[in-house]
Amino acid sequence: MKIYVCVKQIPDPNTVVSKLDPNTKRLVRSGVSLVLDPGDESTISAAIKLRDTVGNSEVVAVSMGPASAQEAMRRALAMGVDRAILVTDPALAGSDALGTARVLAAILQKESPDLVFCSTESTDGYTGMVPGGIAEFLNLPQLTFAREINVEGAKAIIKRVTLTGYQTVECPLPAVVTIASGSFEAIYPTMKGIMSAKKKPFTQLTLADLAIDPSQVGEAGAREHVATIGKAEARAAGQIIKDDGNSAQAIADFLQRYQLL
Amino acid sequence: MTTTMKPTESGTAFLTTTVSESADKIFTLEQRDEEQRWIQESSATFIQREVLPLTEAIDHQEPGVLPKLVKKAGEQGLLMIDVPEEYGGAELGLLTSSLVGSELREASFSVAFGAHTTIGTLPIVFYGNEEQKQKYLPKLASGEWIAAYALTEPGVGSDAMGLTTHAKLSEDGKYYILNGTKQWISNAGFADVMIAFARIGNEKPSAFIVEAHWPGVSTGAEERKMGIKGSSTRQVYFEDTKVPVENLLGEIHKGYKIAFNILNIGRLKLGAGTVGGARAALGMAAAYTTERKAFGKFISEFGMIQKKLARVAAETYAAESEVFRTAANIENARRSAGNDTEGAFKAIEEYAIEASLAKVHGSEVLAMAVDEGVQIFGGYGFMQEYPIEKAYRDARIQRIFEGTNEINRLVASGTLFRRVLKGKLPLMSLYPAIESRVRSGQPLNNAGESIPAELRDAVNALERAKDVTIYSAMKFALKYMQALENEEEFIEYLANLLIDLYAVDSALARATQAVRRGDENSGTHVKLAQLATWLAFTRLRSNLDQMIMTNSAEGDVQAELQFVRSYVGDYLLNGVALQRELAAVVVEKQGYPL
């Protein structure tokens, strides 16, 4: 089975305080330390787990990004991904979700995947629109918010996270599956993994290789425009429950009100 | 694998080279490449996920737990770092293995790991012949076999020449028959192979590779220890143990050379481990200061607590800077030696002083870190429920093994004088100019534009301290000449000076690099280096004072003190304000700030 994982390099959410450029209204990505999206590390782990369960399968990481994204791809390889494909092209700068989906779908089209894994959303832009776009371009069914994935015959069966529990959903392969955040503990690259990453196939493509018209992607092809950016509203003050002997009940009531209990 | 490194400094260069000159040459942690960073991070995660959850079981020596973890580390590749590729290793070198060594936060695991990878495996890497390497290294690199190092005996510690275990060639000439008792052998309880030292006849010790399952090899009961309780420490008995002659390691009667050289690396690695231990202890303490309240305030807000956090951070910074500077220097020199074993010997030996200084300073910084850590936790620090209690007990051995800190002080000062006498270290030729500067009270104070403005005072203070150290050391060494070895207290003062000089030199060079590079954390680097200098400067002056008072001719004391004190001068700094600023960073980062 061929399992593809769409990944992204983002400003390190653990060390970088996100900043927006007031002119471009985009996230500042230069001059900060960049990492493979931690959400994608979890998604890669889901793919590797499935690969190792199913057997006779490979996991391929695909990404679109600047040359610096090579590091994120090496990271994916070090984690145990079998090969990596990165599309880099100056014309891609400023791509919106649609443009990104178009490029990723073009790679996948050539590869004929059985499964395409995506994180539900990236940890920087959080649009969550790329997976749906890929499914649309490839004309594949999409299963969302998976916390468990199994393959039986030619079907993908997932447990789909809901507010109150999960639904079991299935669809025929090939399919696009988005992974619910926090569902899989990220594998960490072992020393052997880090060493062997250097010897694994790593393909770098340009738009020309994918026969994509540059006017359809990047700044030129973007249909999505950020109109304004503003500060998030300050959160309302929390509720403090004083312990007068009934605090346990009060806390339980509060949690129940939000269906957390 | 090739790693590009800055040009090598020669051994002891820190004493005769200014920070202005060395700052571009030395390796600093910030120069790690992606692979080194990842491997370091990977080993930290391994410890976090696989080892720390088993701390209880390790500490109680539950059978099989520790060797299983060592083998697991082997599966991940962590045991193959120093082993050449052709024998199943990764050949990444001493710098990478030191980076990994600094992440092994569970001390018993760290001891087992170090006994296997460093003193257990490296003797075969460096001194094994082709057959020995092929036979043992792949198994050791993968963790299929675990190694130990059997040097110490009940009556003999660092004095390797006094070993009593002996080896006798069998009548058919096929075996050496070993008899004797080894003591405090780490990994003895589960080791498959040991590097054992014994004397053939009355000659100097030879080294042997001994397989633990051979008839005539047995071990005693587990020792009951103050700390590192989880590590296996036993006596090893050789009773008519037949060791095939092909298992003689290195040259006959020259095993002591192996012992000394491996100890140099062991010392450096121990330094790396202690740096990691200090970072971990600071992490525990810093986190606690924002949990615990006293008098209605978080204890992180109290000046005396802030002082502890800041000082541990600054001393750790200095130790870290010197450890990895040394690791890169040795690694670089060893790579230049290629496959020449004698060259590799020399490369390691070249930095014997630095390895000893890193061991002593690192272990003493760790001692301070865990001691202040317990103090910050107050009564809770005394309770076994809190990991700082274990860290405190585990740290104590670090000042004792791999040569006590006293032995290492002797090594540092003794090697320095030997090099001077051999003309390898130009202190004799530098002395007249330094003497005249000191006596005329005219220090160079020439830290110029190349040194960031905020570090210039510190660098000038350091260079003055180097001058008076050379001045005093040479003066008294010339006085004692052959009888020098009887003057242990003088040797200790000198070693103390060297420890602080090397640490501060490394810290200031690293901070200088950070500023020159425009590092986003350069402000923190500068603060850490300033505080490390400030703290060391008080000790430097005190050691100089005592050295002069106890070694000058009676009528000269006053005058000598005057010269030296006025020359060395002050490093003026508002240490309290600096400590508060640094503590704020430590608290914010919940630990070591870099």
Side-chain angles (χ1 to χ4, degrees):
Chain A
M1 207 163 79
K2 291 163 82 174
I3 309 168
Y4 289 75
V5 186
C6 301
V7 302
K8 184 179 184 186
Q9 187 186 47
I10 63 166
D12 186 349
N14 292 316
T15 61
V16 178
V17 180
S18 298
K19 276 193 200 126
L20 293 167
D21 183 325
N23 296 319
T24 63
K25 302 190 185 70
R26 287 210 202 97
L27 202 61
V28 177
R29 289 197 171 83
S30 60
V32 299
S33 90
L34 299 166
V35 295
L36 176 62
D37 189 328
D40 292 340
E41 292 197 351
S42 165
T43 301
I44 288 169
S45 306
I48 288 174
K49 196 175 163 199
L50 184 66
R51 173 194 70 189
D52 296 345
T53 315
V54 173
N56 195 25
S57 301
E58 68 163 352
V59 173
V60 185
V62 294
S63 185
M64 178 188 109
S68 67
Q70 290 170 6
E71 184 176 326
M73 301 312 272
R74 280 197 299 273
R75 178 89 184 168
L77 292 168
M79 286 178 67
V81 162
D82 301 290
R83 57 189 176 94
I85 305 169
L86 171 68
V87 184
T88 299
D89 201 296
L92 289 168
S95 290
D96 61 0
L98 182 67
T100 306
R102 189 186 298 280
V103 173
L104 293 174
I107 306 170
L108 294 163
Q109 191 84 56
K110 293 172 70 164
E111 297 275 327
S112 45
D114 295 298
L115 275 170
V116 177
F117 281 16
C118 299
S119 304
T120 295
E121 55 193 358
S122 64
T123 315
D124 58 349
Y126 290 101
T127 70
M129 298 196 293
V130 173
I134 294 172
E136 196 58 32
F137 278 118
L138 295 176
N139 199 23
L140 293 181
Q142 185 193 194
L143 302 179
T144 54
F145 297 113
R147 74 171 209 203
E148 204 182 301
I149 305 113
N150 287 299
V151 171
E152 278 177 24
K155 278 192 308 195
I157 305 165
I158 67 151
K159 284 187 177 165
R160 181 178 189 274
V161 177
T162 68
L163 270 182
T164 49
Y166 65 87
Q167 302 165 326
T168 305
V169 189
E170 59 175 60
C171 78
L173 295 174
V176 175
V177 180
T178 67
I179 310 296
S181 75
S183 301
F184 293 86
E185 188 182 31
I187 293 171
Y188 62 97
T190 63
M191 203 197 97
K192 276 187 186 165
I194 295 164
M195 301 298 294
S196 64
K198 289 184 284 193
K199 295 170 194 141
K200 290 180 178 172
F202 181 9
T203 313
Q204 299 199 58
L205 304 173
T206 60
L207 282 180
D209 297 322
L210 295 170
I212 293 176
D213 177 353
S215 69
Q216 290 198 302
V217 294
E219 192 83 59
R223 300 195 210 165
E224 173 195 323
H225 293 282
V226 181
T228 56
I229 48 173
K231 281 213 162 89
E233 272 179 48
R235 260 198 275 179
Q239 185 187 341
I240 294 172
I241 296 169
K242 286 232 167 77
D243 190 9
D244 55 1
N246 299 315
S247 58
Q249 188 58 47
I251 292 170
D253 289 347
F254 175 86
L255 292 172
Q256 218 150 28
R257 210 177 315 145
Y258 291 93
Q259 296 186 332
L260 293 166
L261 264 187
Chain B
M1 121 106 212
T2 50
T3 305
T4 330
M5 283 185 203
K6 299 280 174 184
T8 314
E9 308 174 89
S10 58
T12 341
F14 72 93
L15 197 55
T16 52
T17 315
T18 62
V19 173
S20 310
E21 296 163 288
S22 66
D24 275 338
K25 291 187 191 158
I26 76 159
F27 174 86
T28 65
L29 263 191
E30 289 68 34
Q31 294 174 22
R32 279 168 305 175
D33 61 25
E34 178 186 278
E35 184 177 85
Q36 287 164 338
R37 270 193 294 117
W38 285 5
I39 291 174
Q40 186 179 354
E41 193 187 297
S42 173
S43 52
T45 312
F46 173 76
I47 295 295
Q48 188 71 37
R49 290 204 196 168
E50 314 282 352
V51 180
L52 293 182
L54 296 175
T55 303
E56 272 296 300
I58 297 171
D59 224 31
H60 290 113
Q61 289 198 340
E62 278 181 24
V65 173
L66 193 55
K68 216 184 216 169
L69 284 173
V70 175
K71 285 175 191 293
K72 207 165 201 176
E75 284 163 24
Q76 295 211 349
L78 293 172
L79 307 181
M80 58 164 65
I81 300 175
D82 285 317
V83 177
E85 278 180 341
E86 60 260 50
Y87 309 108
E91 207 170 340
L92 294 176
L94 187 61
L95 179 56
T96 305
S97 59
S98 301
L99 289 167
V100 168
S102 74
E103 296 294 343
L104 309 177
R105 288 168 44 197
E106 205 293 311
S108 294
F109 175 79
S110 175
V111 166
F113 186 93
H116 173 81
T117 54
T118 305
I119 53 182
T121 300
L122 288 185
I124 304 179
V125 171
F126 289 133
Y127 305 105
N129 58 34
E130 187 57 30
E131 289 73 29
Q132 291 166 343
K133 286 180 179 174
Q134 279 185 13
K135 183 171 180 191
Y136 293 105
L137 290 181
K139 287 191 170 79
L140 295 174
S142 68
E144 184 184 339
W145 279 13
I146 296 179
Y149 180 85
L151 172 66
T152 302
E153 296 179 358
V156 186
S158 298
D159 182 13
M161 296 301 192
L163 294 182
T164 61
T165 297
H166 55 90
K168 196 177 163 205
L169 193 63
S170 65
E171 280 176 10
D172 61 7
K174 288 183 178 166
Y175 297 95
Y176 286 103
I177 318 270
L178 259 63
N179 276 288
T181 300
K182 295 293 177 179
Q183 178 162 271
W184 299 330
I185 307 308
S186 296
N187 290 355
F190 46 76
D192 302 285
V193 56
M194 300 180 190
I195 306 301
F197 293 84
R199 300 153 80 95
I200 301 167
N202 284 324
E203 301 290 334
K204 290 174 178 171
S206 301
F208 302 88
I209 306 171
V210 180
E211 294 181 25
H213 61 90
W214 286 345
V217 183
S218 59
T219 62
E222 284 294 339
E223 302 285 353
R224 290 157 59 95
K225 308 185 292 276
M226 175 194 284
I228 54 168
K229 286 173 184 282
S231 66
S232 171
T233 312
R234 300 186 185 202
Q235 288 201 327
V236 174
Y237 311 116
F238 298 120
E239 290 165 289
D240 294 330
T241 310
K242 285 163 81 175
V243 179
V245 287
E246 57 267 25
N247 273 39
L248 175 78
L249 182 62
E251 286 181 58
I252 192 166
H253 312 317
K254 293 209 172 145
Y256 66 95
K257 276 192 167 185
I258 301 180
F260 290 151
N261 268 293
I262 294 304
L263 278 176
N264 280 330
I265 294 193
R267 284 164 186 161
L268 174 73
K269 292 257 192 100
L270 191 143
T274 55
V275 164
R279 289 191 303 228
L282 181 61
M284 291 180 218
Y288 187 70
T289 62
T290 56
E291 288 169 19
R292 167 79 183 185
K293 280 185 170 177
F295 306 106
K297 289 204 289 191
F298 284 113
I299 62 170
S300 59
E301 294 170 51
F302 294 108
M304 279 194 255
I305 300 290
Q306 292 172 349
K307 173 183 166 189
K308 294 179 197 300
L309 295 176
R311 288 184 174 211
V312 171
E315 297 280 9
T316 303
Y317 178 78
E320 186 180 73
S321 308
E322 74 184 303
V323 162
F324 293 108
R325 173 185 190 173
T326 310
N329 278 335
I330 298 180
E331 181 56 25
N332 211 12
R334 207 168 65 77
R335 279 187 197 280
S336 344
N339 291 326
D340 167 20
T341 312
E342 204 51 42
F345 254 158
K346 291 216 172 77
I348 300 166
E349 216 259 317
E350 174 79 11
Y351 302 94
I353 293 178
E354 283 87 343
S356 282
L357 299 179
K359 190 269 175 181
V360 176
H361 189 232
S363 60
E364 292 178 359
V365 168
L366 173 62
M368 172 195 180
V370 294
D371 187 66
E372 295 289 33
V374 168
Q375 198 67 19
I376 287 171
F377 274 81
Y380 288 107
F382 203 67
M383 300 297 135
Q384 298 206 332
E385 271 168 84
Y386 287 80
I388 192 75
E389 183 268 349
K390 179 174 176 293
Y392 181 83
R393 285 186 289 103
D394 285 344
R396 191 60 186 83
I397 188 64
Q398 310 288 346
R399 283 156 58 200
I400 298 172
F401 60 16
E402 233 70 1
T404 60
N405 283 11
E406 288 69 29
I407 290 287
N408 274 291
R409 283 180 160 89
L410 289 177
V411 169
S413 297
T415 309
L416 184 88
F417 284 125
R418 267 198 305 282
R419 287 195 186 163
V420 171
L421 289 175
K422 281 187 185 164
K424 282 184 71 185
L425 189 64
L427 299 193
M428 294 275 203
S429 54
L430 290 172
Y431 182 71
I434 292 174
E435 185 193 29
S436 108
R437 285 209 291 275
V438 172
R439 297 211 148 233
S440 63
Q442 303 206 317
L444 296 173
N445 284 339
N446 58 356
E449 290 297 313
S450 73
I451 297 292
E454 58 272 47
L455 291 174
R456 261 172 234 156
D457 281 355
V459 168
N460 282 328
L462 168 72
E463 306 301 350
R464 295 195 303 270
K466 284 183 197 169
D467 274 357
V468 287
T469 298
I470 294 171
Y471 168 76
S472 309
M474 293 307 292
K475 197 173 153 71
F476 299 125
L478 291 172
K479 172 182 155 192
Y480 293 123
M481 296 298 283
Q482 298 304 319
L484 192 61
E485 64 182 39
N486 298 329
E487 302 298 326
E488 280 220 343
E489 298 86 344
F490 164 72
I491 287 171
E492 183 185 13
Y493 288 134
L494 176 60
N496 290 346
L497 293 167
L498 295 176
I499 289 164
D500 276 326
L501 291 175
Y502 188 44
V504 168
D505 189 83
S506 303
L508 288 171
R510 181 178 174 192
T512 298
Q513 258 189 26
V515 176
R516 284 182 189 169
R517 191 178 52 238
D519 190 297
E520 54 179 344
N521 294 316
S522 63
T524 305
H525 280 274
V526 166
K527 287 189 180 100
L528 288 165
Q530 285 176 331
L531 187 59
T533 308
W534 195 65
L535 297 172
F537 209 65
T538 313
R539 292 190 297 260
L540 281 162
R541 285 201 299 205
S542 156
N543 276 303
L544 280 163
D545 268 7
Q546 291 177 44
M547 186 197 253
I548 291 160
M549 281 189 234
T550 49
N551 292 288
S552 298
E554 212 164 300
D556 296 344
V557 176
Q558 197 62 47
E560 278 303 320
L561 270 181
Q562 205 58 43
F563 282 132
V564 168
R565 279 182 181 169
S566 88
Y567 186 87
V568 80
D570 295 301
Y571 173 44
L572 292 177
L573 187 79
N574 186 340
V576 169
L578 184 60
Q579 280 168 189
R580 290 181 181 179
E581 288 170 31
L582 258 180
V585 187
V586 172
V587 169
E588 190 206 322
K589 302 254 178 183
Q590 299 273 288
Y592 186 61
L594 291 173

